Coordinates of all heavy atoms in Angstrom, one line a residue:
I70 N 1.0 4.8 1.6 CA 0.4 5.3 2.7 C 1.1 6.7 3.0 O 2.3 6.8 3.2 CB 0.7 4.4 3.9 CG1 0.0 3.1 3.7 CG2 0.1 5.0 5.2 CD1 0.5 1.9 4.6
F75 N 3.2 17.7 11.3 CA 3.7 19.1 11.4 C 4.2 19.3 12.9 O 3.6 18.8 13.8 CB 2.5 20.0 11.2 CG 2.8 21.4 11.4 CD1 3.4 22.2 10.4 CD2 2.5 22.0 12.7 CE1 3.7 23.5 10.7 CE2 2.8 23.3 13.0 CZ 3.4 24.2 11.9
A88 N 6.7 4.9 9.6 CA 7.0 4.7 8.2 C 8.1 3.7 8.0 O 8.0 2.9 7.0 CB 7.5 6.1 7.6
E151 N -2.4 32.2 14.1 CA -1.5 33.1 13.3 C -0.5 32.5 12.4 O -0.1 33.1 11.4 CB -0.7 34.0 14.3 CG -1.5 34.8 15.3 CD -2.4 35.9 14.6 OE1 -1.9 36.4 13.5 OE2 -3.5 36.2 15.1
T197 N -4.4 10.5 14.3 CA -3.5 10.2 15.5 C -3.5 11.2 16.6 O -3.8 12.4 16.3 CB -2.1 10.0 15.0 OG1 -1.6 11.2 14.5 CG2 -2.0 8.9 14.0
L199 N -0.8 12.3 19.9 CA 0.6 11.9 20.5 C 0.6 11.9 22.0 O 1.5 11.3 22.6 CB 1.6 13.0 20.0 CG 2.0 12.9 18.4 CD1 2.7 14.1 18.0 CD2 2.7 11.6 18.2
P213 N -3.3 22.4 32.1 CA -2.7 23.5 31.3 C -1.5 24.1 32.0 O -1.4 24.1 33.2 CB -3.9 24.5 31.3 CG -5.1 23.8 31.8 CD -4.6 22.8 32.7
L234 N -14.5 22.1 30.4 CA -13.8 21.9 29.3 C -14.6 22.3 28.0 O -14.0 22.9 27.0 CB -13.5 20.4 29.1 CG -12.4 19.9 30.2 CD1 -12.3 18.3 30.1 CD2 -11.1 20.5 29.9
T240 N -14.1 28.6 23.0 CA -13.4 29.9 22.8 C -12.4 29.7 21.6 O -11.9 30.7 21.1 CB -12.6 30.4 23.9 OG1 -11.5 29.5 24.2 CG2 -13.5 30.5 25.2
Y241 N -12.2 28.5 21.1 CA -11.4 28.3 20.0 C -12.3 28.1 18.7 O -12.8 26.9 18.6 CB -10.5 27.0 20.2 CG -9.3 27.3 21.1 CD1 -9.4 27.2 22.6 CD2 -8.1 27.7 20.6 CE1 -8.4 27.5 23.3 CE2 -7.0 28.0 21.5 CZ -7.2 27.8 22.8 OH -6.1 28.1 23.7
Q266 N -10.8 16.9 14.6 CA -9.5 16.3 14.2 C -9.6 14.7 14.0 O -8.6 14.2 13.4 CB -8.4 16.7 15.1 CG -8.4 15.9 16.4 CD -7.2 16.3 17.3 OE1 -6.3 15.6 17.3 NE2 -7.4 17.3 18.1
P288 N -13.1 8.9 22.2 CA -13.8 8.3 21.1 C -13.7 6.8 21.1 O -12.7 6.3 21.3 CB -13.1 9.0 19.9 CG -12.6 10.3 20.4 CD -12.2 10.0 21.8
D300 N 14.8 7.4 17.6 CA 15.8 8.2 18.2 C 16.6 9.0 17.1 O 17.4 8.4 16.4 CB 16.8 7.4 19.1 CG 17.6 8.2 20.2 OD1 17.1 9.3 20.4 OD2 18.5 7.7 20.7
G301 N 16.3 10.3 16.9 CA 16.8 11.0 15.8 C 18.4 10.9 15.7 O 19.0 10.8 16.7
T305 N 24.2 8.0 14.8 CA 25.3 8.9 15.3 C 25.9 8.3 16.5 O 25.3 7.9 17.5 CB 24.8 10.3 15.7 OG1 24.1 10.9 14.5 CG2 25.9 11.2 16.1
Q306 N 27.3 8.3 16.4 CA 28.0 7.8 17.6 C 28.2 8.8 18.7 O 28.2 10.1 18.4 CB 29.5 7.4 17.1 CG 29.5 6.2 16.2 CD 29.0 5.0 16.7 OE1 29.3 4.6 17.8 NE2 28.2 4.3 16.0
L315 N 31.8 10.1 30.6 CA 30.8 9.1 31.2 C 31.7 8.0 31.9 O 31.2 7.4 33.0 CB 29.9 8.5 30.2 CG 28.9 9.5 29.6 CD1 28.0 8.9 28.5 CD2 27.9 10.1 30.7
R350 N 27.1 16.6 42.0 CA 26.8 15.6 41.1 C 27.5 16.2 39.7 O 27.5 17.4 39.5 CB 25.4 15.4 40.8 CG 24.7 14.8 42.0 CD 24.8 13.3 41.9 NE 24.1 12.7 43.0 CZ 23.9 11.3 43.1 NH1 24.3 10.5 42.1 NH2 23.2 10.8 44.0
S365 N 31.5 29.7 31.1 CA 32.5 28.7 31.6 C 31.9 27.5 32.3 O 30.8 27.6 32.8 CB 33.4 29.4 32.7 OG 32.7 29.8 33.9
P383 N 20.0 6.3 29.5 CA 20.1 5.2 30.4 C 21.3 5.2 31.3 O 21.4 4.6 32.3 CB 20.1 4.0 29.5 CG 19.4 4.5 28.2 CD 19.8 5.9 28.1
F412 N 7.2 24.0 29.9 CA 7.2 25.3 29.3 C 5.8 25.7 28.8 O 5.3 26.7 29.1 CB 8.3 25.3 28.2 CG 9.8 25.6 28.7 CD1 10.3 24.8 29.7 CD2 10.5 26.7 28.2 CE1 11.5 25.0 30.1 CE2 11.7 26.8 28.6 CZ 12.3 25.9 29.6
N419 N 1.7 16.3 30.3 CA 2.7 15.1 30.2 C 3.4 14.9 31.5 O 3.6 13.8 32.0 CB 3.7 15.3 29.0 CG 3.1 15.3 27.7 OD1 2.0 14.7 27.5 ND2 3.7 16.0 26.7
A456 N 13.5 5.4 41.6 CA 14.4 4.6 40.8 C 13.8 3.3 40.5 O 13.8 2.8 39.4 CB 15.8 4.4 41.4
A459 N 10.9 3.7 38.0 CA 11.6 4.1 36.7 C 12.0 2.8 36.0 O 11.8 2.6 34.8 CB 12.7 5.1 36.8
T486 N -10.1 -5.0 6.8 CA -10.4 -6.2 7.6 C -10.6 -5.9 9.1 O -10.9 -6.8 9.9 CB -9.1 -7.2 7.5 OG1 -7.9 -6.4 8.0 CG2 -9.0 -7.6 6.1
V494 N -10.7 -1.8 21.9 CA -10.3 -3.1 22.1 C -8.8 -3.2 22.2 O -8.2 -4.0 23.0 CB -10.8 -4.0 20.9 CG1 -10.1 -3.6 19.6 CG2 -10.6 -5.5 21.3

Side-chain angles (χ1 to χ4, degrees):
I70 300 160
F75 173 85
E151 300 296 327
T197 63
L199 292 167
L234 288 172
T240 66
Y241 286 84
Q266 69 175 272
D300 202 14
T305 302
Q306 296 295 316
L315 295 174
R350 295 275 183 169
S365 62
F412 277 53
N419 295 332
T486 60
V494 69

